[in-house]
Structures are given as C-alpha cells and as structure tokens.
Amino acid sequence: MSQVADSSSTERHKLPVRTLVAASIGNAVEWFDWTIYATFAVYFSSQFFDKSNPTLALIGTTSTYALAFFFRPLGGVILGRLADLRGRKFAMLVTIMLMAGGSLLIAVLPTYALVGWLAPILLLLARIAQGLSLGGEVSNASAYLAEIAPPARRGRYSSFFYISTGTALLAASLLGLLLTTQLDRPQLESYGWRIAFAVGGVLGIVGLWLRRTLTETDQFEENVAKAKATKNPLLRTLTHYPRSVLQLFGFTLLSTLCYYTFFSALTPFAVQFRGAAGSDVFLALSIGTVVFIALQYPMGACADRFGRKPQMLVWSAAFAVLIVPLSLLITENPPVINLIVVFSVGLGLYAVFSSIAPAIMSEIFPTELRALGIGAWYNLTVAVFGGTAPLLIAALSGAGRPQLFFWYVAGAAVVAFLIILTLPETKGRVLD
C-alpha cells in the first residue's frame, strides 16, 4: 500500500489535503472548461456558424460538443494505457496540458464572419483535444485517488474528485451569472464568451503547476511490470472482466445523464425553450452546485461506513421516480424558486453517487488494467449517452416533445438500478 494508506494504522487519521487537492485540481480544470462550452454555447453559437438561423447555429454548436465526446473513449484508451505503463502522475500532466491548450485556442479563434467554415473546423479541432484529454483525466485521477487511500477511507478520499469538480462548476456558473448580469446579449455573443474560455486556460496553467508536486502511487509501482507484460489489455478487460464492464456501463449510463442534464442540458433548454432569464438559471445552478459540493464528503463517509451498494440503489431509484416530476417545474417563464428546487434536488441526489464514483470504478478492475478499463468503457458510455444529452433535449424541444427526454432519463435510472443489484459490496476492499 502507499505511504498515505499506511497512515491509516494510526489511531487518528489525518487527510492528506494538499495531495488530494493537487490530484483533483486537474479534474476541476477539465470540467470547468468542458462546462463553459456547454453553458455558453447559446451565446457563441452564432460566432462559429451562420447567424441567420439561430436554431441551426445552436444545433451545430451542440453537435460539435457531441462529436468531441466520441474522442473521449480514444483518449481513455491511449491515456489510460499510458497511465498503466508510465504512471498516473505523468498521464495526468499530459491531460491537463491538452485541456488548457484547447481552452486557450477557443478563446482566440476567428469567427464564421471572418473565415467562414474554417471557424467551426478549428472549433472542432480544439474540442477534439479537450475530448482526448477528458477521456484520460477521469480514469487516471480516479485511479490515483483510489490507490493512495486506505481501504476503509476510500469513499472519503474519492469524494475530493467531485468536491473539486463541483467547485469548478460553481466557479463556471458564477462566472456565467457575472457575465450575464454585467453584459447584454450582443456583448455576450461578441466577446463575453471569450473571457470564460480565457479564464479556463489560465486555470489549466495553475493546475499544471500544482500537479508537478504529486508523487507516484505505490500501487502503480508494484504492478507496473504486470501491466507491461499484459498483452491486448483492452480485449482482456472484456474476456476476463465482462461483469465489471457491464456494471461500469450500468451506473455510468445514469451518472452521465445526471451530470449532463443538470450541468449542461437544462441551461440552454430553460433559456432557449422556456423563456427563463439567463441570470435566474445561473443563480439556481449555483445554489444547486453548493448543495452538490456540500454533500460529497458526508456521502463518501457514509459509503465507507454503510457500504456502496445501498447508496447507489437509493440514488438510482430516486431518479427513476423523481426526474419527470422535477422537469414539470420548468414551466414557461419559470419562477426562480422552481429552478432552485429543480437544480438543488437533482444535484443533491446525484451527490449520493458521485461522491463514491472513483472508488467504485477503481474497485472493479485490477491495478494493471485499472486506468485503461475505466478510461475505455466509462468514456464510451459517456460519449454515447452524455455527449448527446444537450443535442437530444434541444431536438426534442424543437419538435415540441421535451418531456420525452426526461422519461428517457427515468428509463436509464431503471436500467442502472437493475445492474447495480448485481454489484458485490466493495466497502473496505484492498485493491488488487
């Protein structure tokens, strides 16, 4: 076990906060940049596509968002394998450089009015770099946090993954609130969105500086020879761990829909199709995100004490029952209190699972395949179901059938619940 894990033998455990923050800061930067794109898409879509048809411009922008997701599995395979062979730290440095570079590039890209179709092509290339980056980031950071944690405290350590993510998302939401209240729509469409991407690039540089201090995990060092000796590692995850792959698909299916529904899809949906004020939506999202952050550590500690499986069953069952009723609160010109209830309840429920997601994913694969196994199959599921969520809700809303999207999420929750029933309880498990 790692040096951090060894400290669990003392009577009073002290969390290595500096290490946990340094490990998770890169993930925060990744999700800040990713969320900025989704939340500001309604404002910059006309800058990269023909502004004569705003609906088609938004669909083109969200399509670019979705296409980039399909590079996440490739990033998960390449950077996950890199992490299994060269180390978690090395791979995490690569991912944050890719993400920061992509964000800075988007901040300075020329518009459709200046260079025509070259503008959306360059946007897509920047998004591909970010897609590759995020594909490796989630799996590698999850593996790192799980491997430095004492077995009895892995849920608590894992909670820092989404504490950092939630903090970054809150920063993105507050930045959106600030920009939408200080700038009018023409200003937001002209240059306001560029400010958001520039901030993301600067945060990436800060994250790179912090991550340089990380040390490699003992778990990796002890198993690197086994990883190098493994032939056809991606195929091996299917032939030797098919149950783990299916289980990962099941809970990731619902997790990614939860994430992209509340952190991405609902913002343009409420503004574009329900007439909600942008400032009201960003305020509600900010309050919901505070709830999400506040619940991470308590939920991680709860899973360490009572187990992962009961918590996951509560999460999936609650979404199956509540997601459609929650969506009915987003009426035409919805009052801000309705939006606050939707975001707070939805993100509060999501925290029940997200707090332990890195632990769960790491506990179902052995060390020599951990980063690759998570990176490949987690990201494939996210690409298919998460990346298409904003596009799907926009298309269904345009067709006058937005409720079908929320029934779709409810159905995914039922599937997740049934698959979670097959999971073994992994509380306190020593990693292979």
Side-chain angles (χ1 to χ4, degrees):
M1 300 300 293
S2 69
Q3 184 177 356
V4 173
D6 290 341
S7 66
S8 63
S9 61
T10 61
E11 186 174 339
R12 183 178 178 84
H13 181 82
K14 183 178 179 181
L15 281 173
V17 175
R18 178 181 172 84
T19 298
L20 294 173
V21 170
S24 55
I25 187 66
N27 188 64
V29 173
E30 304 274 9
W31 286 109
F32 178 91
D33 289 344
W34 204 262
T35 304
I36 282 296
Y37 186 100
T39 54
F40 281 88
V42 68
Y43 299 113
F44 68 78
S45 59
S46 61
Q47 300 297 301
F48 293 105
F49 293 88
D50 188 352
K51 64 174 64 177
S52 64
N53 191 325
T55 300
L56 284 180
L58 181 60
I59 290 175
T61 304
T62 52
S63 296
T64 301
Y65 181 83
L67 283 172
F69 270 78
F70 288 92
F71 286 86
R72 285 186 59 168
L74 179 61
V77 171
I78 295 173
L79 295 171
R81 183 58 174 163
L82 183 69
D84 288 336
L85 295 175
R86 293 285 303 276
R88 306 337 188 184
K89 176 185 176 180
F90 179 79
M92 288 193 294
L93 289 173
V94 173
T95 60
I96 198 169
M97 285 189 288
L98 281 172
M99 180 60 75
S103 188
L104 289 172
L105 178 60
I106 293 174
V108 299
L109 281 180
T111 64
Y112 182 88
L114 289 176
V115 296
W117 283 103
L118 181 60
I121 292 172
L122 291 174
L123 176 65
L124 179 60
L125 291 176
R127 292 292 299 150
I128 287 173
Q130 292 184 314
L132 291 170
S133 171
L134 191 52
E137 174 63 26
V138 175
S139 55
N140 298 339
S142 295
Y144 189 90
L145 287 170
E147 290 173 6
I148 66 172
R153 295 178 178 271
R154 194 171 294 123
R156 294 172 175 86
Y157 277 52
S158 292
S159 70
F160 275 78
F161 187 93
Y162 277 101
I163 289 175
S164 67
T165 301
T167 301
L169 296 173
L170 178 59
S173 180
L174 291 175
L175 181 59
L177 179 62
L178 175 65
L179 292 176
T180 54
T181 53
Q182 296 302 311
L183 303 176
D184 57 28
R185 185 155 186 140
Q187 290 173 319
L188 286 168
E189 293 177 348
S190 176
Y191 65 86
W193 60 272
R194 293 187 186 273
I195 296 173
F197 284 106
V199 170
V202 172
L203 288 176
I205 295 172
V206 173
L208 181 64
W209 182 80
L210 289 173
R211 276 196 167 173
R212 82 195 196 288
T213 63
L214 291 177
T215 57
E216 192 50 75
T217 71
D218 290 348
Q219 193 79 23
F220 165 76
E221 299 287 1
E222 293 166 5
N223 289 273
V224 62
K226 191 183 297 185
K228 291 179 178 178
T230 300
K231 305 299 182 183
N232 301 314
L234 185 60
L235 180 61
R236 187 176 178 85
T237 62
L238 286 173
T239 57
H240 287 67
Y241 303 95
R243 190 182 183 92
S244 296
V245 171
L246 176 62
Q247 290 163 343
L248 179 62
F249 164 80
F251 57 72
T252 300
L253 166 65
L254 178 57
S255 175
T256 192
L257 285 176
C258 288
Y259 182 95
Y260 288 102
T261 295
F262 289 96
F263 283 122
S264 298
L266 282 187
T267 298
F269 167 72
V271 172
Q272 189 92 346
F273 297 103
R274 288 294 182 262
S279 57
D280 285 352
V281 176
F282 280 119
L283 175 61
L285 177 57
S286 298
I287 293 172
T289 305
V290 170
V291 174
F292 178 76
I293 297 168
L295 288 175
Q296 294 300 318
Y297 191 82
M299 288 294 99
C302 186
D304 281 337
R305 182 173 183 181
F306 299 108
R308 282 71 160 118
K309 191 171 180 178
Q311 206 157 298
M312 296 172 71
L313 290 172
V314 168
W315 159 67
S316 54
F319 260 99
V321 172
L322 295 177
I323 186 63
V324 173
L326 278 176
S327 71
L328 296 176
L329 293 176
I330 309 177
T331 58
E332 289 293 332
N333 302 309
V336 68
I337 187 62
N338 283 27
L339 296 171
I340 291 172
V341 170
V342 170
F343 281 102
S344 296
V345 173
L347 289 174
L349 287 174
Y350 182 38
V352 174
F353 170 75
S354 64
S355 58
I356 56 173
I360 290 292
M361 292 191 294
S362 297
E363 287 164 349
I364 62 176
F365 288 106
T367 300
E368 70 272 14
L369 294 172
R370 183 166 295 125
L372 174 65
I374 298 172
W377 305 116
Y378 167 87
N379 284 294
L380 181 61
T381 307
V382 170
V384 174
F385 297 99
T388 56
L391 178 62
L392 182 59
I393 194 172
L396 289 173
S397 298
R401 305 293 297 275
Q403 287 306 116
L404 289 179
F405 176 81
F406 300 102
W407 282 105
Y408 165 65
V409 176
V414 173
V415 172
F417 182 89
L418 295 175
I419 292 179
I420 290 167
L421 287 173
T422 71
L423 273 170
E425 180 53 65
T426 54
K427 180 188 72 170
R429 172 179 291 181
V430 176
L431 296 180
D432 297 333

